[in-house]
Amino acid sequence: GPQAPLLELRNLVVRYGSITALHGINLKVQAGELVTLLGANGAGKSTTLRAISGLIHPVGGEILWHGGLINRLRTERTVKLGISHCPEGRRVLSRQSVADNLALGAWLRRNKVAIASDLERCYALFPRLAERRSQLAGSLSGGEQQMLAISRSLMARPTLLMLDEPSLGLAPRLVAEVMAALSQLHRDGLTILLVEQNAQAALTIADRGLVLEAGSISAGGSAEQLLADNSLQASYLGAN
Ligand code: ATP
């Protein structure tokens, strides 16, 4: 319906065999928001993104996109809906060039003019990639590979960009560079769901945050509230 959030998880349950990774979580993302999902190793953050993008199907609850149920859709269908998932670990194709990796991000699209203009937007967002467009992706630095992975996700022209720990393994200066780029995309109107262990960095650019703990949401609030929360400071924010 017209009042429905862009994305909503209702009482979502996900299992891997006998292990329950998500114990009925609730989450809403409104169009235009930058929401961050925080939590320790193994809390279920990656699982949440995998369920939304259709890599794994929930055993209970609902995934709603514009109010419509999408629980059973596979990844190709969720990409077509406008959901782009940038997985953990920057899986770029190392033996292909930067430009070829980006072209692959647009695999479901036909409009060559629009694809070319999105390519230029990626290069404007990450000038390091523009300078290295002919270079093999495998020879990029870790930070540059992360920028490429994000750009490849953008080439699908998503309505919702979901990122899994884009700051992982990056030097502080590059973390700041990646966060600045995400903040720019947010200001340009893109809706973002950002999974991070680096809560400090994520809350600096997010509107709101949720904390996952052992498969359940344990806290949530505005970025300002979470940054000011002393108990969260002790358990998560100081850890980085
Ligand atoms: P990390 O930051 O370490 O990736 P996370 O918050 O993203 O952590 P998940 O990767 O979603 O956590 O894992 C949630 C739980 O599900 C963990 O207990 C994990 O061991 C388990 N799990 C994840 N993937 C599988 C799998 N393929 N098979 C079995 N258990 C899994």
Side-chain angles (χ1 to χ4, degrees):
Q3 257 83 309
L6 181 63
L7 174 74
E8 182 172 3
L9 306 182
R10 282 192 197 154
N11 210 15
L12 198 72
V13 180
V14 175
R15 290 203 191 104
Y16 298 104
S18 61
I19 297 170
T20 302
L22 297 178
H23 295 269
I25 67 165
N26 293 291
L27 178 160
K28 280 183 195 173
V29 180
Q30 304 289 346
E33 275 192 310
L34 198 172
V35 176
T36 184
L37 190 58
L38 308 170
N41 270 313
K45 305 181 300 297
S46 302
T47 299
T48 305
L49 297 193
R50 280 189 218 123
I52 296 165
S53 64
L55 288 165
I56 182 168
H57 295 310
V59 294
E62 297 177 321
I63 305 172
L64 302 165
W65 179 252
H66 291 288
L69 198 65
I70 62 163
N71 284 32
R72 308 303 304 175
L73 296 190
R74 288 157 50 150
T75 304
E76 185 177 328
R77 297 283 312 282
T78 63
V79 172
K80 277 186 182 155
L81 286 178
I83 299 172
S84 190
H85 180 185
C86 187
E88 190 176 333
R90 333 161 184 139
R91 292 183 208 129
V92 298
L93 297 175
S94 55
R95 301 173 78 101
Q96 303 228 27
S97 70
V98 166
D100 287 345
N101 270 273
L102 292 175
L104 284 167
W107 62 293
L108 281 171
R109 299 173 60 193
R110 296 274 161 78
N111 184 337
K112 291 210 168 83
V113 175
I115 291 171
S117 112
D118 287 346
L119 192 59
E120 289 315 312
R121 280 177 58 200
C122 287
Y123 288 147
L125 190 66
F126 295 117
R128 282 158 181 272
L129 294 183
E131 294 160 13
R132 293 166 175 79
R133 61 181 83 192
S134 307
Q135 196 173 315
L136 291 185
S139 65
L140 297 175
S141 74
E144 289 159 2
Q145 287 188 25
Q146 186 62 66
M147 293 171 192
L148 179 57
I150 295 169
S151 298
R152 189 183 49 189
S153 295
L154 289 171
M155 290 304 293
R157 197 173 257 250
T159 303
L160 172 69
L161 176 63
M162 305 196 298
L163 302 127
D164 199 344
E165 304 219 26
S167 80
L168 195 70
L170 302 192
R173 193 174 51 80
L174 283 172
V175 173
E177 218 173 293
V178 166
M179 292 300 152
L182 298 182
S183 184
Q184 179 65 53
L185 291 166
H186 173 43
R187 282 196 299 279
D188 290 345
L190 186 62
T191 310
I192 299 177
L193 180 56
L194 171 62
V195 158
E196 263 299 341
Q197 277 195 59
N198 188 339
Q200 193 77 47
L203 289 171
T204 305
I205 60 166
D207 298 314
R208 283 193 298 119
L210 294 163
V211 179
L212 255 182
E213 221 169 322
S216 300
I217 303 279
S218 62
S222 70
E224 293 75 19
Q225 283 167 340
L226 293 179
L227 279 168
D229 185 323
N230 287 329
S231 62
L232 284 181
Q233 284 286 347
S235 24
Y236 297 101
L237 307 184
N240 293 288

